[in-house]
Amino acid sequence: MGENEASLPNTSLQGKKMAYQKVNADQRAPGHSQYLDNDDLQATALDLEWDMEKELEEPGFDQFQLDSAENQNLENPETADLNLDSIQPATSPKGRFQRLQEESDYVTRYTRSAPKSNPCNFCRLLKILCTATILFILGILIGYYAHKNCPSNATTSGTLDLHLYQEILKTIQAEDIKKSFRNLVQLYKSEDDTEISKKIKSHWTSLGLEDVQFVNYSVLLNLPGPSASSVSLSSSGQCFHPNGQPCSEEARKHSSQDLLYSYAAYSAKGTLEAEVIDVSYGNADDLKRIQKMKNTTNKIALLKLGKLPLLYKLSLLEKAGFGGVLLYIDPCDLPKTANLSYDTFMVSLNPGGDPSTPGYPSVDGSFRQNRSNLTSLLVQPISASLVAKLISSPNSRTKNSVCSPLELPNNDQRIVSMQIQTVTKFKTVTNVVGYLKGLTSPDRYIIVGSHHHTAYSYYGQEWASSTAIITAFIRALMLRVKRGWRPDRTIVFCSWGGTAFGNIGSYEWGEDFRKVLQRNVVAYISLHSPIRGNSSLYSVASPSLQQLVVEKNNFNCSRRAKCQETNVSSVQIEGDADYFINHLGIPTVQFAYEDITALEGPSFLSEALFLKRATKIEEMDPFFHLHETITKLSGEVILQIANEPVLPFNALDIAIEVQNSLKGDQPYTHQLLALASRLRESAELFQSDEMRPANDPKERIPVRVRMLNDILQDMEKSFLVEQVPPGFYRNILYHLDGKTSQFSILLEAWEHCKLLASNETIQEALSEVLNSINSAQVYFKAGLDVFDSVFVGKN
């Protein structure tokens, strides 16, 4: 990475140095304060427009005239075009600005000179009058056509960019993605991911991508044991495999791989015989109800996946004294078309990265901790059919097709014995990383991440979709690069290894290059598991990028026959974006297709990794049109972020998201609401004072744009908190699901408060949120102060 980091080239300001000074609509006399009164700011910060007639009618506005000293310097290009147009305020929908020359005597140099007393004869006056008339008419014509052409020139730049993007994206074809997908699927049977990594690197290099390299890490993996886990009923002595089949030699031979890969990575190992207690989804209310009725010490919890992060629910069960967990997905939480009753799945209990090197990269010489298991609980995923046998329920659905959730009656007692055996080994995880260097800002990176199959992990085919999509975009991009074009910022393409075990490859790479990434990464575009259904396009985006995603969704909708409501939110997602969101505070975007019924059900069901076959992806998208749409939508966002002079981020949307997260009946939030209001005021000022003029090509100053972009790319870092419950995002701008808009850590603290009858947790969470909001408000205010100091001459 070090050799791939380019320094910012020296730039010189061409033409006139400009400054932006905010002025009151009613007081524009020289020497007036550059700051508006607070009331005026609040009234005009969001949507102010120029009243050009008032500007022209102001007294003294017609007093600007070139004096004799300036007339002698007309050959100077910096002064030759000074006229009435050059000092008119620019149109601004967000705030009022007046462009001023940096010279302190700007006003005095252009005041009308005193009338001369020398007498002039009539002929001389007539000549002057005729000359002035001709020049006046000529000036009007030049000004008219210049004024007419200026807007079109500004528009042309944006139009050219749009045409360029479309020219790149139109080469992406569904049939090419389908062929790539099928070629990748043929490689998954290998017991080592080296073959897949080499294939990806070779393909990317052949497409012309620069400096494609392997980045390897030796990490601790928790792998299936030599034989499958089992669950036995003590009353009858019946033994079952996780898929619900009896423990027999024939069953083991028939589905050996499925049985081996039905396990919880980094679970405790051993055997436990105890009573099974149905804890439903395992939230605070469930545990409070159960602990009133039964002793939970060293018992086995029957737990449904979903509604809350698995790691959080396991932490609650661990605190309650449970010794084991039988984990399953209730069929009622799945779409009716999904028949997974007998399917087994894998989960990872690793919050992220190599467990033996928590918080630091697993490079040569690093200290390795002995962490073969990450919980004291014995955790075993089982199928819904096995749950039905354990609770003696023949069928989960009634005759009238109304689904009845699986649950163990409170008065029934089930004693079971569970046996778990896994193996921990150090294995090499490989990342494939390739670079397309930027032209003007090579030290600013847009990371595009997919993942590939890792040896010893589940056989799901999402990785093939992910890899085929990122490869299709690289192909389209490099066709244009070969014709001489380059993006302004560097695009880094990454195919991560070890994703199924807890995003290990991306975490280790992020920890390895943390300092560089903190300073240089602008955005992360996730291509993790892009096809999960075929009925609804579901987008996840940071608050600062939601406006851009909505624009792309609407544009895509206008090109399709069916237009669905835009579904964009900031929610916790699975995949390798985790490190970049939670440890670096990087704005993130992810497009994916889902089933509407799946979106309506409980969240966090995607934590289960099923052993899907390749045909399942092709059943959902037989012609790969959904793959093509995801590729083009993601590609358009990548191109715009990589190429726009001003990053397409929205500061005000972050402030609005914070205010929305404090709505509802939450207690103790009155102080947070007042602080959020001040954050919004600062964001409004920042957006109108700094972003509006920078987006006007006529007023854009390179050094100012660079300072502005540095502020924009770091906006979300203020919302990274140190202490969060297990499984919760450290970036508090992300919610647990799309149905709740409140801050997740506040909701959890309130539930925890009810469970333990203590206010300590809620006070700690309130303090975390308060400090984040205050930090963001100070950050925007400091940004405004820096611009004022540098460009108004306070330094």
Side-chain angles (χ1 to χ4, degrees):
M1 183 76 175
E3 64 266 17
N4 295 301
E5 180 187 354
S7 59
L8 179 68
N10 293 328
T11 58
S12 60
L13 297 181
Q14 301 296 328
K16 295 176 288 185
K17 296 183 178 180
M18 311 299 289
Y20 293 79
Q21 180 176 355
K22 198 164 25 147
V23 293
N24 191 295
D26 299 319
Q27 297 179 349
R28 289 186 176 83
H32 178 70
S33 172
Q34 60 180 327
Y35 300 102
L36 289 173
D37 293 335
N38 189 47
D39 291 340
D40 191 34
L41 283 177
Q42 296 177 4
T44 63
L46 273 180
D47 191 22
L48 295 177
E49 298 181 355
W50 287 106
D51 188 342
M52 299 304 292
E53 293 181 1
K54 285 188 177 180
E55 297 289 343
L56 294 174
E57 291 172 1
E58 285 179 359
F61 192 84
D62 61 340
Q63 301 299 314
F64 294 94
Q65 178 181 333
L66 291 173
D67 61 15
S68 57
E70 293 299 315
N71 284 325
Q72 296 172 6
N73 294 314
L74 288 176
E75 70 275 9
N76 188 332
E78 293 197 3
T79 59
D81 60 347
L82 284 176
N83 52 31
L84 186 62
D85 289 337
S86 68
I87 57 173
Q88 285 181 349
T91 303
S92 171
K94 296 290 185 181
R96 299 191 178 189
F97 297 87
Q98 186 174 7
R99 300 193 295 171
L100 301 177
Q101 297 288 349
E102 284 190 336
E103 291 88 333
S104 58
D105 59 340
Y106 175 75
V107 175
T108 57
R109 291 172 63 188
Y110 295 98
T111 54
R112 185 190 297 270
S113 58
K116 298 182 180 181
S117 58
N118 294 337
C120 298
N121 58 45
F122 178 77
C123 293
R124 186 176 181 185
L125 284 174
L126 185 60
K127 289 180 181 179
I128 292 175
L129 182 61
C130 293
T131 304
T133 302
I134 294 172
L135 290 175
F136 177 73
I137 295 172
L138 184 62
I140 288 177
L141 292 174
I142 294 174
Y144 171 80
Y145 286 105
H147 179 73
K148 182 177 179 181
N149 291 331
C150 278
S152 62
N153 289 340
T155 308
T156 301
S157 175
T159 305
L160 287 174
D161 286 341
L162 182 61
H163 288 329
L164 172 66
Y165 303 158
Q166 294 307 311
E167 183 179 341
I168 292 173
L169 299 175
K170 73 180 181 182
T171 61
I172 297 171
Q173 300 295 326
E175 190 61 33
D176 294 333
I177 302 175
K178 185 176 183 177
K179 290 179 182 177
S180 179
F181 172 84
R182 288 182 171 177
N183 290 335
L184 290 165
V185 164
Q186 300 303 316
L187 300 173
Y188 87 88
K189 296 179 181 179
S190 170
E191 286 298 323
D192 194 344
D193 67 347
T194 303
E195 183 181 350
I196 293 177
S197 300
K198 286 181 177 178
K199 179 72 173 179
I200 294 172
K201 180 183 177 183
S202 174
H203 198 176
W204 289 5
T205 302
S206 68
L207 294 174
L209 195 61
E210 304 159 354
D211 193 20
V212 185
Q213 55 187 250
F214 290 140
V215 186
N216 298 325
Y217 299 98
S218 178
V219 300
L220 187 67
L221 299 184
N222 187 234
L223 309 174
S227 59
S229 301
S230 62
V231 178
S232 302
L233 274 170
S234 298
S235 58
S236 62
Q238 289 179 290
C239 174
F240 299 97
H241 287 306
N243 63 355
Q245 297 298 317
C247 296
S248 64
E249 192 68 26
E250 182 180 351
R252 186 161 53 250
K253 289 180 179 179
H254 182 67
S255 55
S256 58
Q257 293 298 325
D258 289 2
L259 296 177
L260 288 177
Y261 286 95
S262 176
Y263 80 110
Y266 306 103
S267 163
K269 296 177 284 292
T271 303
L272 174 64
E273 183 174 1
E275 178 187 357
V276 175
I277 298 177
D278 191 345
V279 297
S280 189
Y281 292 100
N283 57 31
D285 287 336
D286 292 330
L287 294 181
K288 187 176 182 180
R289 170 180 51 83
I290 290 166
Q291 287 181 302
K292 287 181 179 179
M293 299 184 296
K294 295 185 177 183
N295 177 17
T296 58
T297 304
N298 214 34
K299 299 297 193 297
I300 297 175
L302 185 62
L303 175 67
K304 294 181 183 182
L305 193 68
K307 289 195 174 180
L308 288 168
L310 176 59
L311 293 184
Y312 173 65
K313 297 195 288 188
L314 293 181
S315 70
L316 294 181
L317 294 174
E318 203 168 7
K319 290 177 183 177
F322 282 91
V325 176
L326 294 175
L327 181 67
Y328 73 102
I329 295 179
D330 196 309
C332 296
D333 292 337
L334 295 169
K336 293 182 180 180
T337 55
N339 184 13
L340 301 175
S341 296
Y342 293 93
D343 287 13
T344 54
F345 60 93
M346 169 195 173
V347 295
S348 175
L349 309 185
N350 180 12
D354 176 16
S356 70
T357 58
Y360 54 95
S362 52
V363 296
D364 292 343
S366 295
F367 172 69
R368 304 282 182 167
Q369 300 183 22
N370 183 16
R371 304 180 76 197
S372 59
N373 58 281
L374 300 178
T375 177
S376 63
L377 297 169
L378 278 75
V379 182
Q380 176 60 53
I382 60 176
S383 66
S385 62
L386 177 53
V387 176
K389 293 178 180 180
L390 294 179
I391 66 176
S392 303
S393 174
N395 199 334
S396 63
R397 295 183 186 272
T398 60
K399 294 181 180 180
N400 59 2
S401 298
V402 176
C403 189
S404 300
L406 295 171
E407 57 184 19
L408 179 66
N410 292 329
N411 56 353
D412 286 3
Q413 187 179 58
R414 298 286 189 276
I415 306 295
V416 304
S417 175
M418 56 187 298
Q419 181 184 24
I420 295 177
Q421 48 182 332
T422 55
V423 178
T424 52
K425 293 181 179 179
F426 281 97
K427 295 287 182 179
T428 298
V429 164
T430 302
N431 299 324
V432 184
V433 182
Y435 301 84
L436 174 58
K437 288 285 185 68
L439 186 63
T440 60
S441 298
D443 62 335
R444 290 296 180 262
Y445 309 141
I446 293 87
I447 298 180
V448 186
S450 65
H451 69 286
H452 57 261
H453 171 71
T454 300
Y456 310 103
S457 71
Y458 74 110
Y459 286 172
Q461 300 305 311
E462 293 90 343
W463 71 268
S465 289
S466 176
T467 306
I469 284 176
I470 195 172
T471 303
F473 179 67
I474 292 172
R475 180 189 297 110
L477 195 64
M478 298 313 296
L479 287 175
R480 183 68 190 189
V481 171
K482 291 174 182 177
R483 293 164 55 189
W485 174 86
R486 275 186 179 272
D488 288 343
R489 301 177 182 92
T490 296
I491 304 177
V492 184
F493 296 95
C494 304
S495 182
W496 308 115
T499 298
F501 293 97
N503 308 315
I504 291 181
S506 56
Y507 256 77
E508 294 309 305
W509 188 78
E511 291 170 348
D512 200 0
F513 300 102
R514 181 185 180 99
K515 295 297 184 183
V516 176
L517 300 176
Q518 275 182 327
R519 185 177 66 251
N520 292 353
V521 176
V522 169
Y524 184 93
I525 311 301
S526 173
L527 295 172
H528 179 82
S529 188
I531 308 297
R532 307 162 198 165
N534 55 14
S535 60
S536 177
L537 178 63
Y538 183 64
S539 309
V540 174
S542 302
S544 58
L545 281 170
Q546 285 189 17
Q547 204 171 108
L548 175 64
V549 171
V550 169
E551 290 174 4
K552 299 310 164 194
N553 277 351
N554 290 342
F555 181 69
N556 176 66
C557 173
S558 66
R559 293 180 293 179
R560 296 168 61 91
K562 292 184 178 180
C563 292
Q564 300 172 345
E565 183 180 354
T566 301
N567 192 351
V568 185
S569 59
S570 299
V571 297
Q572 295 192 194
I573 54 176
E574 293 295 307
D576 295 284
D578 185 280
Y579 183 82
F580 302 93
I581 294 172
N582 283 307
H583 295 271
L584 302 178
I586 293 171
T588 301
V589 172
Q590 175 180 281
F591 295 99
Y593 270 95
E594 294 262 19
D595 286 320
I596 293 177
T597 49
L599 292 172
E600 293 171 348
S603 54
F604 296 99
L605 293 180
S606 59
E607 291 182 315
L609 304 177
F610 285 94
L611 312 181
K612 292 181 181 178
R613 296 177 175 85
T615 54
K616 184 66 175 178
I617 297 292
E618 296 201 46
E619 287 173 8
M620 291 188 290
D621 187 19
F623 302 105
F624 278 70
H625 292 319
L626 303 185
H627 285 76
E628 181 182 321
T629 299
I630 294 291
T631 310
K632 290 184 175 180
L633 281 173
S634 302
E636 206 161 353
V637 169
I638 294 165
L639 288 170
Q640 192 158 342
I641 296 175
N643 220 50
E644 294 297 312
V646 179
L647 291 172
F649 299 166
N650 198 304
L652 183 57
D653 282 354
I654 292 181
I656 293 173
E657 184 78 12
V658 170
Q659 286 187 318
N660 290 337
S661 297
L662 294 172
K663 290 181 179 179
D665 299 328
Q666 297 182 75
Y668 313 116
T669 57
H670 59 278
Q671 186 177 4
L672 298 179
L673 284 168
L675 193 57
S677 179
R678 291 200 292 273
L679 170 63
R680 179 164 180 167
E681 291 175 5
S682 296
E684 288 172 354
L685 281 174
F686 178 81
Q687 192 142 316
S688 64
D689 285 21
E690 307 308 334
M691 294 188 69
R692 197 283 308 161
N695 277 296
D696 186 345
K698 294 186 297 183
E699 303 180 14
R700 189 178 294 147
I701 304 175
V703 68
R704 189 184 191 95
V705 170
R706 181 63 188 236
M707 290 172 61
L708 174 61
N709 285 335
D710 287 347
I711 295 174
L712 289 173
Q713 76 179 51
D714 288 340
M715 289 187 298
E716 291 191 26
K717 290 181 172 61
S718 297
F719 296 94
L720 298 181
V721 301
E722 290 297 326
Q723 298 297 326
V724 292
F728 280 59
Y729 269 15
R730 289 183 57 221
N731 188 331
I732 62 173
L733 292 174
Y734 289 77
H735 308 297
L736 286 177
D737 54 53
K739 303 165 191 173
T740 56
S741 60
Q742 289 82 9
F743 282 115
S744 298
I745 60 172
L746 292 183
L747 290 176
E748 187 279 331
W750 183 241
E751 293 296 314
H752 200 78
C753 177
K754 291 191 295 184
L755 184 63
L756 300 179
S758 169
N759 288 338
E760 183 177 348
T761 304
I762 190 72
Q763 293 298 334
E764 291 176 356
L766 285 167
S767 179
E768 293 273 21
V769 175
L770 185 144
N771 290 333
S772 295
I773 300 174
N774 182 66
S775 175
Q777 195 272 333
V778 170
Y779 181 75
F780 286 127
K781 181 66 167 58
L784 289 166
D785 290 344
V786 166
F787 278 106
D788 286 341
S789 299
V790 172
F791 291 101
V792 183
K794 287 186 179 180
N795 275 357

